[in-house]
Amino acid sequence: MQPFKILRSRSVSMPSENIDTDQIIPARFLKVTDKKGLGEKAFYDWRYDKDGRPRTDFVLNTPRALGAGILVAGDNFGCGSSREHAPWALVDFGFRAVVSTSIADIFRNNALKNGLLPIVVDPQFHTRLLKGAGEELEINLWARTIKTEDCESREFEVEPFARYCLMNGMDQLDFLLGQDAQIQAYEQEYVV
Amino acid sequence: MPATTLFEKVWEAHQVTPETEDTPAVLYIDLHLIHEVTSPQAFDELRKRGLKVRRPDKTVATMDHSTPTLPPDERGNWPFIDQLAAKQVKKLEDNCAEFGITLHALGGPHQGIVHVIGPELGLTQPGSTIVCGDSHTSTHGAFGALAHGIGTSEVGHVLATQCLLQRKPKTFAINVEGALQPGVGAKDLVLAVINKIGVGGGTGHVLEFRGEAIRALSMEARMTVCNMAIEAGARAGMIAPDETTFAYLKDREHAPKGEAWDKAVARWKTLRTDEGAVFDREVTIDASQVEPRITYGTNPEMSVGVSETVPQPNTRSDERALAYMGLEAGERMQGKKVDVVFIGSCTNSRIEDLREAAGVMHGRKVAENVRALIVPGSRSIKEQAEAEGLGDIFREAGAQWREPGCSMCIAMNGDQLQPGELAVSTSNRNFEGRQGTGGRTLLAGPATAAAAAVTGMITDARSLQGVEYATV
Ligand code: SF4
């Protein structure tokens, strides 16, 4: 995994609340047995009409979505199914961060394991970000700050361990594997 | 000893390493359930790293999401929707064989929806930690287990180490006082809870459902309640085990036997929230005020009593939801024509749900404008339903009585809505397109769904003549 330190990228806005993982990647695309190419299917039913033609009014089909790495979305983003295909699809599409006023637990966990930074901000700053769609934002994971073009900025929280792993491009499984002695001791004492 | 909650007791007992400021807790997992959709990439990771499954004896697999619910042909070939689905199922077979994991395969005596077969086999036990790459793992919390959904990376973590990295969640008591009215079920209750706390209201919390109305519920009904905890965004839902729990588990295949059973029950009896323990949040709901409920929008919070009208939208998202659903504020729900009825899913596909549906459908016919699909949660439930004569009731009514699986709950296997179709469904998600692109879902309990099937419209099942209510 590529280390995540500072990201400067343009944003796109999806102000809808409660965007669930079924919208991010519809279930019929979950029959794959690898992770490749899911970006093409991201938000499929919002992006394409029933004949498979791109809907011109959907934000990810507009020119300003090209190369945008930050998704600013409505409250309770990523609710619903635990499918990790959702962050896989967003990352494959080119996103490296999602900003909202709240982010669903399982999605947040999954995102952090795939180099996609979930950021929760206050409603006022969120409104500001939605309005500024297309502007370049700066996300500094080391300082835990997110800054707009006109230098309005906020600090955000990230679970410290996930942050450490992201900044170092480290896989969390390596840490768990390193706990082998403790796991063995626990099993001997408590597990049949 | 300070007073602690049920959740805290289970959490404490499973800490391999407690959390610190820098690192999450390492939590030991007693049971890891897997299915075909969220596991292949995790097995690939294991292979890539040359790792084994640490505890195949604590790992159980089944296939349910991509599997057909129509029977195999004479040569034993199942009618998969496409090559990809067949390949995904085959991949699970291969992975289980390679890593030595027990698999309840298609057509086998215990195949079924992962959250239905765990309890049925007695694998789901009080006080245990249970995970699955599936958000409705919360179902198992009905037994006083700490059970939650994980992503595929975490499936890999648990396969390799039998442990999960977790920050300690907060606790949230849902006190349900009073008694449910006859004809009002667990699904109605949980839809009322989600409506009250909101679709994101449980985020970061483990819910404990408690109070008189919860104690009065059967295990099947408790599973329906905990199943939907995730629809309020909660990490897990739990209910303290009691005599109802023990009676359900006794003599199940994997439940402890003989002396071990007695010891287990003694231990399980300690799994309750102590007097004076403090929850981070609490709400109280009066069960006697709950009506049969039905959703009208595109998330499970958006529900009303079946006799009510569609509420006014408050936000742009609400407006979008009503536009998608083709419903107007102020419109009555009752009497609205439906195209499809789906009775099934890990929320409502157990024997009691089928009895409830059969109680309504008995001696009636599915309305001409309706396609009704009844999909049992597992092979054993199907057999039991046949033995009880429920299968005959469904067939005689003209419903399609299918093979076990997730089916139209997630519409991965070809069982799906056509664009624009309106369905009453006993499943758990009414998201846009969840049951098929452009399909519109109204979530409700089995009685309401069955009543819609036989009348062709949204109906309060209590208004139908001669329907008997099984007491919960
Ligand atoms: S029945 Fe539906 S919710 Fe339950 S496990 Fe299957 S797809 Fe998921």
Side-chain angles (χ1 to χ4, degrees):
Chain A
M1 205 165 51
Q2 211 185 327
F4 189 126
K5 286 187 175 105
I6 291 177
L7 171 69
R8 279 185 208 90
S9 181
R10 280 181 303 109
S11 69
V12 287
S13 296
M14 268 191 220
S16 291
E17 289 162 17
N18 304 312
I19 295 177
D20 58 81
T21 52
D22 270 90
Q23 306 317 316
I24 301 171
I25 179 90
R28 61 185 185 281
F29 302 123
L30 307 187
K31 284 178 282 194
V32 291
T33 50
D34 55 25
K35 307 177 184 178
K36 289 193 284 284
L38 286 168
E40 276 171 40
K41 305 293 185 329
F43 292 102
Y44 194 92
D45 291 337
W46 290 4
R47 241 163 104 194
Y48 300 100
D49 67 13
K50 60 179 186 338
D51 305 315
R53 281 183 307 242
R55 291 178 204 261
T56 46
D57 57 347
F58 182 59
V59 60
L60 294 191
N61 292 331
T62 58
R64 62 175 184 245
L66 273 177
I70 301 170
L71 177 62
V72 183
D75 193 58
N76 195 30
F77 184 81
C79 61
S81 156
S82 59
R83 60 190 69 164
E84 198 161 321
H85 308 68
W88 294 338
L90 293 177
V91 169
D92 193 48
F93 187 85
F95 289 116
R96 304 279 329 263
V98 183
V99 188
S100 179
T101 40
S102 86
I103 293 178
D105 283 334
I106 304 178
F107 176 84
R108 193 193 53 234
N109 265 328
N110 287 339
L112 286 166
K113 291 181 180 68
N114 290 283
L116 179 69
L117 180 63
I119 297 178
V120 172
V121 295
D122 60 84
Q124 197 196 350
F125 191 63
H126 185 248
T127 309
R128 162 68 190 80
L129 293 179
L130 284 175
K131 282 205 190 110
E135 72 181 322
E136 188 173 277
L137 301 175
E138 183 186 289
I139 294 170
N140 183 330
L141 184 55
W142 186 79
R144 290 187 290 107
T145 55
I146 173 166
K147 194 165 77 185
T148 64
E149 269 177 6
D150 48 15
C151 287
E152 196 179 340
S153 89
R154 289 288 192 282
E155 267 192 32
F156 58 85
E157 308 256 335
V158 206
E159 198 282 307
F161 178 69
R163 172 169 169 259
Y164 176 84
C165 290
L166 273 178
M167 288 180 58
N168 294 288
M170 183 181 128
D171 190 324
Q172 300 190 13
L173 178 54
D174 292 317
F175 173 81
L176 267 177
L177 290 167
Q179 295 276 310
D180 191 57
Q182 288 88 331
I183 300 172
Q184 268 192 39
Y186 181 91
E187 281 184 328
Q188 262 161 24
E189 179 131 11
Y190 301 108
V191 183
V192 277
Chain B
M1 283 257 287
T4 54
T5 62
L6 166 64
F7 157 74
E8 283 158 333
K9 291 190 166 79
V10 182
W11 174 271
E12 299 292 328
H14 289 85
Q15 289 184 106
V16 171
T17 320
E19 66 180 342
T20 66
E21 212 169 285
D22 295 335
T23 52
V26 177
L27 212 62
Y28 197 80
I29 301 303
D30 296 316
L31 175 65
H32 186 193
L33 299 166
I34 58 179
H35 65 68
E36 75 275 24
V37 179
T38 54
S39 65
Q41 298 86 349
F43 283 111
D44 283 348
E45 183 69 21
L46 255 59
R47 264 188 295 267
K48 200 175 93 193
R49 288 166 168 261
L51 294 167
K52 286 201 182 92
V53 173
R54 184 181 179 96
R55 296 298 298 253
D57 58 326
K58 295 185 178 294
T59 313
V60 176
T62 190
M63 29 186 76
D64 48 8
H65 285 67
S66 310
T67 53
T69 57
L70 286 168
D73 64 16
E74 355 21 286
R75 275 173 297 157
N77 294 321
W78 289 85
F80 284 100
I81 170 82
D82 55 23
Q83 279 308 311
L84 273 178
K87 191 178 144 205
Q88 193 173 51
V89 161
K90 175 77 172 57
K91 186 110 189 186
L92 181 65
E93 281 173 6
D94 294 348
N95 283 330
C96 288
E98 180 181 341
F99 290 93
I101 294 167
T102 304
L103 169 68
H104 297 293
L106 201 52
H110 296 301
Q111 179 261 336
I113 304 174
V114 62
H115 311 307
V116 172
I117 69 162
E120 192 173 274
L121 289 167
L123 288 162
T124 300
Q125 294 180 11
S128 56
T129 44
I130 302 175
V131 296
C132 175
D134 195 286
S135 58
H136 292 96
T137 311
S138 60
T139 313
H140 308 263
F143 292 78
L146 175 59
H148 49 85
I150 56 178
T152 297
S153 297
E154 290 170 323
V155 170
H157 295 182
V158 180
L159 288 173
T161 67
Q162 203 57 32
C163 289
L164 190 68
L165 288 165
Q166 279 283 297
R167 285 284 173 193
K168 192 172 178 178
K170 296 199 175 95
T171 55
F172 191 163
I174 313 284
N175 304 308
V176 191
E177 304 302 347
L180 288 171
Q181 308 268 3
V184 180
K187 181 65 158 290
D188 304 313
L189 172 61
V190 73
L191 285 173
V193 170
I194 299 164
N195 181 254
K196 180 157 177 129
I197 71 174
V199 66
T203 304
H205 292 75
V206 168
L207 312 184
E208 183 183 334
F209 298 95
R210 49 215 305 268
E212 206 184 315
I214 300 295
R215 297 263 72 88
L217 296 177
S218 67
M219 284 320 294
E220 275 86 351
R222 291 180 191 184
M223 286 189 250
T224 301
V225 170
C226 288
N227 173 275
M228 301 266 304
I230 178 69
E231 303 313 329
R235 291 259 193 105
M238 296 178 90
I239 294 174
D242 59 11
E243 293 304 328
T244 306
T245 322
F246 311 146
Y248 176 98
L249 278 173
K250 192 159 182 14
D251 300 326
R252 300 235 167 216
E253 189 173 333
H254 291 271
K257 304 275 151 41
E259 209 181 306
W261 169 260
D262 297 335
K263 275 196 187 148
V265 171
R267 195 173 67 243
W268 294 342
K269 283 186 173 163
T270 66
L271 295 167
R272 51 186 57 252
T273 294
D274 301 325
E275 193 86 40
V278 183
F279 291 89
D280 295 297
R281 279 179 73 193
E282 281 199 58
V283 296
T284 299
I285 286 181
D286 180 355
S288 68
Q289 297 300 310
V290 177
E291 291 280 305
R293 290 191 81 83
I294 190 158
T295 63
Y296 61 88
T298 54
N299 71 54
E301 172 187 332
M302 305 173 86
S303 71
V304 287
V306 68
S307 62
E308 293 178 331
T309 56
V310 177
Q312 291 295 330
N314 289 326
T315 62
R316 291 268 294 277
S317 302
D318 290 354
E319 280 166 20
R320 182 191 163 101
L322 290 191
Y324 181 86
M325 293 303 293
L327 294 172
E328 298 208 12
E331 188 179 354
R332 263 163 53 88
M333 292 302 285
Q334 245 181 120
K336 185 102 195 153
K337 279 206 157 172
V338 305
D339 307 301
V340 175
V341 166
F342 170 66
I343 298 175
S345 91
C346 55
T347 315
N348 285 121
S349 64
R350 286 169 286 266
I351 192 71
E352 274 186 8
D353 304 312
L354 300 181
R355 286 182 195 138
E356 188 177 315
V360 173
M361 293 174 86
H362 189 93
R364 293 190 164 88
K365 292 266 181 241
V366 171
E368 257 177 29
N369 57 308
V370 171
R371 177 159 62 101
L373 232 77
I374 304 179
V375 187
S378 71
R379 174 77 38 207
S380 347
I381 291 173
K382 176 144 195 187
E383 280 165 11
Q384 191 180 348
E386 289 291 1
E388 291 184 14
L390 309 182
D392 290 333
I393 294 176
F394 298 141
R395 275 187 292 262
E396 277 158 23
Q400 302 179 37
W401 170 231
R402 294 289 186 93
E403 302 302 308
C406 296
S407 181
M408 209 190 269
C409 170
I410 188 162
M412 280 183 73
N413 73 338
D415 301 345
Q416 66 184 74
L417 298 178
Q418 296 307 311
E421 277 187 330
L422 187 66
V424 178
S425 173
T426 66
S427 53
N428 40 54
R429 286 185 175 142
N430 49 353
F431 300 153
E432 286 181 27
R434 168 79 179 188
Q435 296 194 278
T437 309
R440 300 176 293 152
T441 301
L442 309 166
L443 302 175
T448 310
V454 296
T455 61
M457 58 182 111
I458 299 173
T459 302
D460 187 337
R462 298 173 302 179
S463 66
L464 297 176
Q465 293 287 312
V467 175
E468 279 178 35
Y469 303 114
T471 42
V472 285

